[in-house]
Amino acid sequence: MTLDTDTIAALRPLVFSIAYRMTGSVAEAEDIAQETLLRTVRERDAGTEIEYPKAYMTAIATRLSIDHLRSARARREEYVGAWLPEPLLTDGPADPVVDVAAEAEMADEISQAFLVVLERLTPVERAVFLLREAFDYKFAEIGEIVGRNADHCRQIAARARRHVVVARPRFESSREARAELADKFLDAARAGDMEALVAMLADDAVLTGDGGGKAAALPKPLVGAERIAHALRAFFRQGEKMGAIAERVELGGQPGWLARAADGTILAAMTLQVADGHVAGISSVVNPDKLTHLQPGHS
């Protein structure tokens, strides 16, 4: 039976999810998803019998992602300042590429904090770990995708898991509790309420900014509740002078906000890491290249 185009298109959210977790880039994940679909259609039209389209397209997307990571490593070494993944909006309108509902169910696995932890893995380790942990593939299936045998993949997964467990971020278990604290935190930041901000921040909280040398950002992560509170108050005061507003959203399954200029242009995407009733970390992306997919009118 010929593989129909609707079946291929229906698997696009899956291959996007794999590619985004692998690369940490919405733009690259969209490109990989599109290339995966095109290759599948070409092979089908050439007469290739594709018995298991999900496995077939997963393999293409994973291999393309591994190739991307290998070439990206050198570029990351030259990146100006801290590198953060591109923020993924997970509470917006339905997207033909992103299965927002499915992503929200696995919120911790697509958070910026968790994707940063995955950066310490090699491309193959990252692929094996994600296919096993996030997508529940069998080791034999993973082996066929990455060119290893099942036993070797099992060893790779165990090694990757050890690396991840050490640095895996903690999150408040209740999504409602995270959202409630984020609302109060944003209100305090808007009001410049230092006392409230400090009270909601963990003593060892970390604020990381990513400007990529293309927008003003912190040269290195800022640590400590007092220092972060001062930085946020300054950020909001500057935004107020520019006529900017902060819009509460969910990014990568975690609470955060978008800072919009008066004309609607997004200036920053900030994500909160909430744990033990406090804000333990803040990721601030201001690199305009990483905000393109969030801008008004982007398709």
Side-chain angles (χ1 to χ4, degrees):
M1 183 175 67
T2 303
L3 177 62
D4 64 272
T5 303
D6 288 343
T7 299
I8 295 173
L11 288 167
R12 183 167 184 160
L14 170 66
V15 296
F16 174 89
S17 295
I18 293 170
Y20 177 68
R21 285 169 172 79
M22 283 288 292
T23 65
S25 166
V26 174
E28 291 296 340
E30 288 177 342
D31 288 346
I32 289 170
Q34 181 66 13
E35 179 63 20
T36 299
L37 266 66
L38 290 174
R39 290 191 184 190
T40 304
V41 170
R42 282 200 300 265
E43 287 301 311
R44 180 203 63 184
D45 292 347
T48 301
E49 185 68 29
I50 303 173
E51 187 175 2
Y52 302 107
K54 178 181 176 182
Y56 185 86
M57 294 173 68
T58 294
I60 294 174
T62 302
R63 291 165 186 160
L64 288 172
S65 298
I66 289 173
D67 290 343
H68 168 79
L69 281 178
R70 285 171 173 160
S71 63
R73 295 230 157 178
R75 296 196 301 273
R76 298 266 174 89
E77 291 176 0
E78 300 172 358
Y79 196 81
V80 178
W83 180 92
L84 290 171
E86 293 178 15
L88 178 66
L89 189 65
T90 48
D91 65 348
D95 190 304
V97 177
V98 185
D99 187 342
V100 173
E103 298 294 16
E105 287 180 4
M106 297 187 287
D108 294 358
E109 298 174 0
I110 54 169
S111 70
Q112 287 183 304
F114 184 60
L115 293 180
V116 167
V117 170
L118 295 184
E119 286 292 301
R120 64 185 59 200
L121 304 179
T122 69
V124 171
E125 284 176 340
R126 188 164 179 164
V128 171
F129 177 82
L130 287 171
L131 289 174
R132 180 64 179 175
E133 298 293 327
F135 297 97
D136 201 29
Y137 277 76
K138 295 180 173 61
F139 285 119
E141 296 171 317
I142 298 171
E144 291 181 6
I145 293 171
V146 300
R148 308 286 198 279
N149 63 44
D151 287 340
H152 192 188
C153 286
R154 190 174 286 105
Q155 293 170 6
I156 292 173
R159 183 170 63 244
R161 196 177 298 112
R162 286 195 296 270
H163 286 303
V164 170
V165 166
V166 171
R168 188 169 192 142
R170 293 178 299 110
F171 296 102
E172 194 73 44
S173 58
S174 167
R175 194 174 179 185
E176 291 73 19
R178 285 185 287 202
E180 183 180 354
L181 181 61
D183 289 339
K184 293 178 180 178
F185 192 79
L186 179 55
D187 287 343
R190 285 173 173 149
D193 188 338
M194 285 289 294
E195 184 177 352
L197 286 173
V198 171
M200 285 184 276
L201 284 159
D203 291 341
D204 57 351
V206 180
L207 168 60
T208 305
D210 178 345
K214 299 184 178 183
L218 296 169
K220 60 183 181 179
L222 199 61
V223 181
E226 289 274 358
R227 299 175 71 192
I228 293 174
H230 279 289
L232 286 175
R233 184 170 65 176
F235 174 80
F236 273 83
R237 282 179 175 173
Q238 181 183 16
E240 187 177 357
K241 291 177 182 178
M242 297 169 56
I245 59 170
E247 172 192 352
R248 266 281 285 119
V249 294
E250 184 180 272
L251 297 165
Q254 305 301 321
W257 65 81
L258 299 176
R260 291 184 182 273
D263 64 358
T265 301
I266 295 175
L267 305 172
M270 306 189 78
T271 309
L272 305 183
Q273 178 186 332
V274 178
D276 299 328
H278 289 82
V279 175
I282 305 173
S283 299
S284 173
V285 176
V286 294
N287 181 345
D289 293 345
K290 295 187 175 185
L291 301 173
T292 301
H293 63 285
L294 298 173
Q295 299 295 356
H298 175 76
S299 59

